[in-house]
Amino acid sequence: MMIESFLERPTPTWMSMEDDYSDIVISTRIRLARNLDGYRFPLSFTENEALQVEQAVTHAVQDSTKLQDHYSYFAIKDLTSLQRQILVEKHLISPQLAKKEQVGSMLLSDDESISIMVNEEDHLRIQCMTASFQLQRAYEQANKIDRALEKALPYAFRDTFGYLTSCPTNIGTGLRASVMMHLPTLTLSGQMSQIINAMTRLGMTVRGIYGEGSENLGNVYQVSNQITLGKTEEDILADIQSVAEKIIQKERHARGRLMEKAELALEDRVYRALGTLTHARILTSEEAATCLSNVRLGVDLQLIEGIKATTLNECVVSMQPGFLQHYAGEVLPPAERDRVRAKMLREALFRENMSKPIIGKKGEDPYDV
Amino acid sequence: MICEHCKQRNATVTVTQVQNGQKVEHHYCDVCASQFHPFHAEFKQEPVSIQQLLSNWFGSPTWQQQKVDEKQQAQPQPQTCPQCGFTYKRFLKEGKFGCPSCYDSFSEHLPKLFNRIQAGPQHIGKMPGAHSNIYVIKKQIEDIRKLMKVAVDDEQFEEAAKLRDEVKELEKQLQFEGGDVT
């Protein structure tokens, strides 16, 4: 497939699935880091080695009969900086891979749920994503790809240290499991810092949606394991599963309490946010993220009807700088982006929200008693 | 008393500061104390990079350098990786390995490091297909050797000889699978 077809849609088809956790968990991601024995890691390899690694991986992926999906290949250096930015905004590649000028490429499945990064920090990073909270399913998918590729590629592995990786924080299983969660009430009630502290002691990290160093824009957090050695894959997944479930429980409890204690205030907050999104003319990414978070909470608590979670997911992705400029069809200075962002969100939400009459029927005076 | 910064290790260092004429005492462990900057009352709260972590824990603060230098004269220097030329010192500085062989070159230093930043020094998870065969055979050899020792101790030499032959067979199989016989 051409790169344009991946850039066109803000959210891929796999994102539209909903289940019991969709009110809190946005998506689940599994990443496996692998390297080939006999080649230096990308930090210090030569361009020739990079090319050999890339060829070996690309052939292994495209020749494997065990891999049912079709993969499109893209060399990072062939993409424009805007195209790279959009791929990062969609979490299909890491910001680190996007910066690679010479080496670095990606293999992307047609539905975008699987992306294989080549020559990022490690020779190979297999990434599988699912909607909502499906750790096991995402892991099974990644494991299947890993099992198919190990037949063709000489993985760097030692009995003691497991899968060898460039950074000692990925050694052993090379597995990073992340659950992306929307936690507005835990943030509002100031419980997040306490949770983050507790998680660190359990060998897990909580970050903003764009990984290390990014703030919790729009109350969205990414919970992932930090420990990769000395535990089995099953243990790592079970730990993340139970911790994420506890957080979900806490968030639901906090939402329930907030509804009991301050339903009107909450409703006011949610509708003000919707008002801003459907009427504002200038929106910074911070304000838009906060408003989208509030509207999402309103939808989850059924205070607002008629807006789909998928529309909100799309808005979250497409309000980012790369997408906005793609949508506008030109490079925009930051101030201009705020105007286009407001226009884009207005069009996306006004259409959906206003298509249903909110108060009474047409022609009827709601105050006529 | 536990360290008030990491809240994990025992506090061994007391830092006394005078703030607005008031004496304030802080208690830190030696690891956190080495990061404490006397001109800034608080620790930097930014996420610690792996490089910082490695140099703080496994490199030495400058004031300890002299002591370490003396120690190092007695001990052999950490090796240089023959495949990529990385030294252990460079690994600590970069926070990354140069190539897979670095793990073999620096293997004696790594368990201590992994004990600190991971759940343990030994991989217990999934293995690539061929390795999992090698692992099973190695485990069998280990078990039979234990039985052999018991047989020898009990002076059951016939039984011990039988077990020795079994080990030899398994070692042949191990070599065939590409594992090293040690």
Side-chain angles (χ1 to χ4, degrees):
Chain A
M1 269 165 72
M2 302 286 284
I3 188 73
E4 283 304 317
S5 24
F6 292 109
L7 303 177
E8 284 303 320
R9 42 186 190 207
T11 54
T13 39
W14 58 263
M15 271 295 272
S16 54
M17 207 210 82
E18 285 190 27
D19 65 11
D20 294 349
Y21 296 104
S22 311
D23 56 336
I24 290 165
V25 183
I26 301 167
S27 63
T28 305
R29 184 170 60 105
I30 292 286
R31 182 270 278 153
L32 295 176
R34 299 289 184 254
N35 286 281
L36 309 191
D37 230 345
Y39 297 95
R40 279 174 285 185
F41 292 134
L43 171 74
S44 57
F45 64 12
T46 60
E47 224 177 300
N48 190 31
E49 275 175 296
L51 207 68
Q52 288 177 25
V53 169
E54 194 194 85
Q55 279 176 351
V57 174
T58 315
H59 286 156
V61 172
Q62 288 172 342
D63 296 347
S64 174
T65 47
K66 297 256 179 205
L67 298 178
Q68 281 132 9
D69 299 271
H70 171 260
Y71 291 86
S72 306
Y73 163 88
F74 303 106
I76 299 299
K77 64 173 168 26
D78 296 342
L79 303 176
T80 66
S81 57
L82 190 59
Q83 288 172 331
R84 294 181 205 188
Q85 196 177 345
I86 294 175
L87 293 176
V88 174
E89 288 171 2
K90 291 181 82 173
H91 297 276
L92 293 173
I93 61 171
S94 64
Q96 200 180 338
L97 185 67
K99 283 186 206 131
K100 298 261 171 165
E101 283 309 327
Q102 289 307 317
V103 297
S105 50
M106 73 181 299
L107 290 145
L108 189 58
S109 71
D110 287 350
D111 70 347
E112 301 176 32
S113 66
I114 305 162
S115 95
I116 300 172
M117 289 184 255
V118 188
N119 290 334
E120 197 236 29
E121 184 181 286
D122 292 300
H123 293 145
L124 194 61
R125 286 196 165 187
I126 303 164
Q127 179 180 281
C128 292
M129 292 192 277
T130 67
S132 195
F133 192 26
Q134 300 187 75
L135 277 168
Q136 210 54 45
R137 200 172 133 196
Y139 177 70
E140 274 163 23
Q141 183 77 272
N143 193 25
K144 210 169 82 186
I145 298 165
D146 190 39
R147 285 286 183 225
L149 295 183
E150 73 173 30
K151 294 196 167 61
L153 299 169
Y155 278 166
F157 180 90
R158 304 284 184 275
D159 288 350
T160 330
F161 303 130
Y163 292 93
L164 307 184
T165 52
S166 172
C167 185
T169 54
N170 293 316
I171 186 74
T173 57
L175 167 70
R176 184 90 62 228
S178 319
V179 184
M180 207 194 275
M181 310 170 103
H182 180 228
L183 306 170
T185 20
L186 287 177
T187 313
L188 191 70
S189 59
Q191 292 177 72
M192 270 323 284
S193 56
Q194 197 190 335
I195 291 175
I196 293 171
N197 263 334
M199 302 272 294
T200 317
R201 297 216 194 140
L202 292 170
M204 289 179 206
T205 48
V206 184
R207 295 170 177 166
I209 47 172
Y210 294 102
E212 225 164 322
S214 69
E215 72 273 38
N216 56 312
L217 206 63
N219 304 320
V220 177
Y221 300 83
Q222 188 178 285
V223 176
S224 53
N225 64 305
Q226 206 164 21
I227 282 165
T228 53
L229 179 70
K231 280 187 178 188
T232 62
E233 285 81 359
E234 288 72 26
D235 289 341
I236 294 172
L237 295 179
D239 286 353
I240 287 274
Q241 177 84 25
S242 73
V243 163
E245 273 172 7
K246 287 221 168 67
I247 297 177
I248 292 169
Q249 251 174 25
K250 269 182 178 288
E251 170 69 22
R252 282 193 182 143
H253 180 74
R255 286 182 187 188
R257 277 183 64 87
L258 198 64
M259 278 292 273
E260 269 170 36
K261 301 240 172 197
E263 190 180 344
L264 186 65
L266 190 62
E267 203 175 334
D268 180 67
R269 195 186 172 104
V270 161
Y271 272 95
R272 276 172 189 273
L274 183 62
T276 305
L277 291 175
T278 47
H279 291 83
R281 261 46 185 173
I282 297 170
L283 273 177
T284 62
S285 49
E286 287 77 19
E287 191 179 8
T290 309
C291 290
L292 281 169
S293 166
N294 283 329
V295 169
R296 187 184 195 110
L297 180 65
V299 171
D300 292 336
L301 292 174
Q302 291 163 341
L303 293 171
I304 299 180
E305 279 179 11
I307 293 180
K308 289 193 214 100
T310 45
T311 310
L312 294 171
N313 284 341
E314 270 180 35
C315 290
V316 169
V317 177
S318 50
M319 60 162 243
Q320 298 174 92
F323 252 100
L324 274 186
Q325 297 178 71
H326 188 72
Y327 166 84
E330 58 184 320
V331 178
L332 302 168
E336 197 54 15
R337 279 181 224 159
D338 292 347
R339 185 186 65 82
V340 177
R341 182 177 296 113
K343 181 170 177 280
M344 187 275 297
L345 290 170
R346 223 162 49 226
E347 284 174 0
L349 291 169
F350 198 84
R351 196 185 331 117
E352 193 155 312
N353 185 236
M354 297 304 161
S355 58
K356 274 189 176 181
I358 295 178
I359 311 159
K361 286 178 188 154
K362 204 177 174 185
E364 186 184 292
D365 185 353
Y367 298 103
D368 187 9
V369 284
Chain B
M1 188 184 295
I2 60 162
C3 170
E4 61 186 77
H5 181 239
C6 65
K7 296 184 179 67
Q8 282 176 339
R9 288 174 287 268
N10 279 331
T12 52
V13 179
T14 306
V15 177
T16 313
Q17 283 189 315
V18 182
Q19 289 173 348
N20 306 326
Q22 296 257 313
K23 257 192 187 178
V24 186
E25 272 191 352
H26 294 285
H27 304 276
Y28 303 119
C29 67
D30 48 354
V31 177
C32 293
S34 70
Q35 297 169 47
F36 186 82
H37 196 282
F39 300 109
H40 299 101
E42 293 304 318
F43 284 96
K44 275 202 270 172
Q45 285 301 320
E46 296 115 55
V48 183
S49 72
I50 182 74
Q51 291 97 315
Q52 274 172 287
L53 190 93
L54 292 178
S55 351
N56 284 338
W57 281 356
F58 299 94
S60 315
T62 39
W63 51 272
Q64 275 188 353
Q65 202 62 53
Q66 214 183 340
K67 234 195 272 175
V68 172
D69 282 348
E70 283 163 18
K71 263 193 204 163
Q72 273 179 351
Q73 279 174 358
Q75 282 173 3
Q77 286 284 327
Q79 286 167 350
T80 302
C81 174
Q83 203 191 342
C84 67
F86 257 52
T87 57
Y88 188 65
K89 209 170 154 192
R90 181 155 176 214
F91 157 67
L92 290 179
K93 190 171 157 256
E94 307 244 5
K96 307 259 166 77
F97 293 99
C99 74
S101 293
C102 287
Y103 283 91
D104 306 323
S105 310
F106 312 139
S107 61
E108 57 179 308
H109 305 277
L110 299 179
K112 196 177 152 204
L113 167 90
F114 293 147
N115 268 329
R116 287 305 262 287
I117 62 170
Q118 295 281 3
Q122 173 73 41
H123 176 62
I124 54 167
K126 193 177 93 163
M127 290 176 230
H131 277 271
S132 93
N133 284 345
I134 292 171
Y135 180 79
V136 170
I137 299 170
K138 276 187 179 172
K139 185 91 183 56
Q140 277 176 333
I141 293 178
E142 213 175 283
D143 292 344
I144 296 175
R145 282 206 173 123
K146 275 184 201 154
L147 290 175
M148 236 165 88
K149 195 176 176 306
V150 176
V152 171
D153 288 348
D154 292 350
E155 296 184 3
Q156 295 188 346
F157 299 113
E158 219 169 294
E159 174 69 14
K162 216 174 92 192
L163 292 168
R164 183 200 56 207
D165 293 343
E166 274 181 44
V167 168
K168 274 189 183 162
E169 263 315 298
L170 285 170
E171 280 179 345
K172 262 190 222 160
Q173 214 180 320
L174 188 63
Q175 265 173 332
F176 178 74
E177 294 274 356
D180 33 308
V181 184
T182 42

